[in-house]
Amino acid sequence: MERHCDVLIVGGGLNGPALALALASGGLSSVVIDAQPRARRAAPEFDGRAYALALSSRRMLAALGLWRDLAAQAQAINDIKISDGRAGEGAAPWHLHFDRNEIDEGPMGHFLEDRYLRGALLDAIDGSALIEHRSETEAVAQAPGPGGIAVTLGDGSRLRAALLVGCDGRGSRVAARAGIARLGWEYRQSALVCAVEHELPHHGIAHQFFMPPGPLAILPLPGNRSSIVWTEARDRAAVIAGLEREAYLAALRPRFGDFLGGIRLAGARFGYPLGLSLAESFTAERVALAGDAAHGIHPLAGQGLNLGLRDVAALAEVLVEAHRRGLDIGAPDVLAGYQRWRRFDTAMLVAATDGLNRLFSNDNPLLRLGRDLGLGLVNRLPALRRGLIREAAGLAGDLPKLLLGRPI
């Protein structure tokens, strides 16, 4: 027998559950299909992973009823400092400084540990009568048709809905089965991710330090802790990742500096190769893509999750409004509205992050001089600087209602 719902969502990470909650807020039912066990998704201990949540993403979590409990676990972003330089030599004299006081809306965003955000999303979908969460199973086939789309799971059971949404990452099998091709390339860089405890307070300041192999992001967490996203050339990153903890710290210290005093590792260490990935279309027959299934960008701007939540908010709004008008939510013209809303915005951010990575991840002296002067010039132009702050806070562009903190 087939189980029927409005939307099937493949992917139980962050975007999949967020989409289910957004749809439920507008009265649409969904099934979240998750290949991972629930316990692995919501590890109770700190593992070093954290996210930069733009102000608009925080508003969305508030609109979905999640932020009240998460706020106590989050660290406000008071300032962002961007500089260029080499490991062990400190930053160049020219830099770019984003100050929270330059916009009226408050902090540009917050940093939040993975365990808290993931746990809150899972608890919320478990508590919704309109959402079913099927973990430790995966979709193995999909068959779209005029009346909907049927999905077969690994255990042989079948589900049917008006629409299937792939939130299953850069290697999206939903996209592949729908015939959606991808554009992209590897960066020959890897990201090393960890967290550190430090002696001195960070005062809510995030740092982005561009070095020839790639950027180092120091992202403040509650207390005297910071999350680290450290980009290195892939071969060098593999060597560093294999070091013991003290040797790993010895490699990090000249890049990190001593402005926060002594440091020591906290939690686990991770590493993953970097590349650009963009689906040629965000939709196909009875299929839509969101999050990394639609696009994967360089982490230098910390916008990966925020970009995915923009997809979620836009798709949910398009589907809920179509449902209220009595339309077929999986119809081509409905999905075309989602494609128009998200495709251009995404392509622009993909191009921007790719260009910035290529501009800063090198040691060409002429380029170094040009980009350092550019940072200093932007820092002296208040109107331009405030515009960039609003971009970082997710306040620019045609925003869905949830990103404005309003219900759909």
Side-chain angles (χ1 to χ4, degrees), residues 265-296:
L265 288 173
R269 295 178 285 160
F270 303 89
Y272 56 91
L274 298 178
L276 180 147
S277 176
L278 180 65
E280 290 188 348
S281 174
F282 289 3
T283 65
E285 183 182 4
R286 297 282 170 183
V287 169
L289 304 178
D292 283 357
H295 42 70

Side-chain angles (χ1 to χ4, degrees), residues 17-350:
L19 176 60
L21 290 170
L23 293 172
S25 73
L28 291 174
S29 63
S30 63
V31 175
V32 178
I33 303 163
D34 187 1
Q36 296 291 331
R38 190 192 191 284
R40 185 177 297 176
R41 288 291 189 193
E45 298 180 356
F46 177 57
D47 64 6
R49 291 181 296 170
Y51 304 103
L53 289 171
L55 172 57
S56 59
S57 297
R58 191 266 291 167
R59 287 175 171 175
M60 176 176 171
L61 293 175
L64 295 176
L66 302 179
W67 187 250
R68 179 179 297 177
D69 292 335
L70 288 172
Q73 315 296 339
Q75 169 63 53
I77 304 172
N78 294 325
D79 296 83
I80 300 174
K81 294 184 177 180
I82 302 169
S83 57
D84 187 21
R86 295 188 184 95
E89 297 182 7
W94 298 284
H95 67 279
L96 180 58
H97 179 201
F98 294 160
D99 186 335
R100 64 173 286 180
N101 295 316
E102 292 193 73
I103 59 173
D104 296 331
E105 290 85 352
M108 293 168 273
H110 289 76
F111 289 107
L112 184 65
E113 293 176 27
D114 174 86
R115 57 173 171 164
Y116 297 128
L117 178 57
R118 200 174 295 269
L121 288 168
L122 290 176
D123 288 346
I125 65 172
D126 287 347
S128 173
L130 289 173
I131 304 170
E132 180 183 351
H133 183 198
R134 295 200 180 189
S135 58
E136 297 186 72
T137 188
E138 58 183 314
V140 297
Q142 60 201 56
I149 186 166
V151 172
T152 303
L153 303 184
D155 60 7
S157 61
R158 283 169 58 89
L159 305 173
R160 187 172 182 83
L163 179 67
L164 170 65
V165 181
C167 294
D168 51 341
R170 296 191 187 200
S172 172
R173 295 182 180 179
V174 170
R177 287 192 292 264
I180 299 175
R182 306 187 79 83
L183 306 170
W185 46 81
E186 298 297 319
Y187 283 127
R188 291 181 296 190
Q189 296 171 313
S190 292
L192 299 167
V193 180
C194 64
V196 296
E197 295 177 349
H198 37 79
E199 292 180 322
L200 303 177
H202 48 57
H203 302 294
I205 302 172
H207 296 265
Q208 184 84 286
F209 183 40
F210 286 101
M211 297 177 290
L216 172 73
I218 303 172
L219 313 174
L221 296 173
N224 284 10
R225 299 179 303 146
S226 292
S227 177
I228 306 299
V229 183
W230 169 15
T231 302
E232 278 284 348
R234 189 161 297 179
D235 291 345
R236 175 64 177 153
V239 173
I240 295 171
L243 297 174
E244 297 296 329
R245 291 174 71 87
E246 284 307 313
Y248 186 98
L249 266 179
L252 174 61
R253 283 190 181 102
R255 295 159 174 82
F256 191 98
D258 59 3
F259 71 105
L260 291 177
I263 60 173
R264 66 186 183 93
L265 288 173
R269 295 178 285 160
F270 303 89
Y272 56 91
L274 298 178
L276 180 147
S277 176
L278 180 65
E280 290 188 348
S281 174
F282 289 3
T283 65
E285 183 182 4
R286 297 282 170 183
V287 169
L289 304 178
D292 283 357
H295 42 70
I297 64 173
H298 197 286
L300 64 87
Q303 290 297 315
L305 177 59
N306 296 305
L307 194 59
L309 292 178
R310 280 197 175 212
D311 296 341
V312 165
L315 180 58
E317 187 167 325
V318 167
L319 298 181
V320 168
E321 290 187 351
H323 175 68
R324 288 172 178 164
R325 295 198 302 270
L327 302 176
D328 176 359
I329 63 172
D333 56 338
V334 173
L335 298 184
Y338 169 62
Q339 169 94 348
R340 286 192 301 271
W341 199 346
R342 294 299 305 135
R343 178 71 180 180
F344 179 76
D345 176 49
T346 300
M348 293 300 292
L349 185 57
V350 165

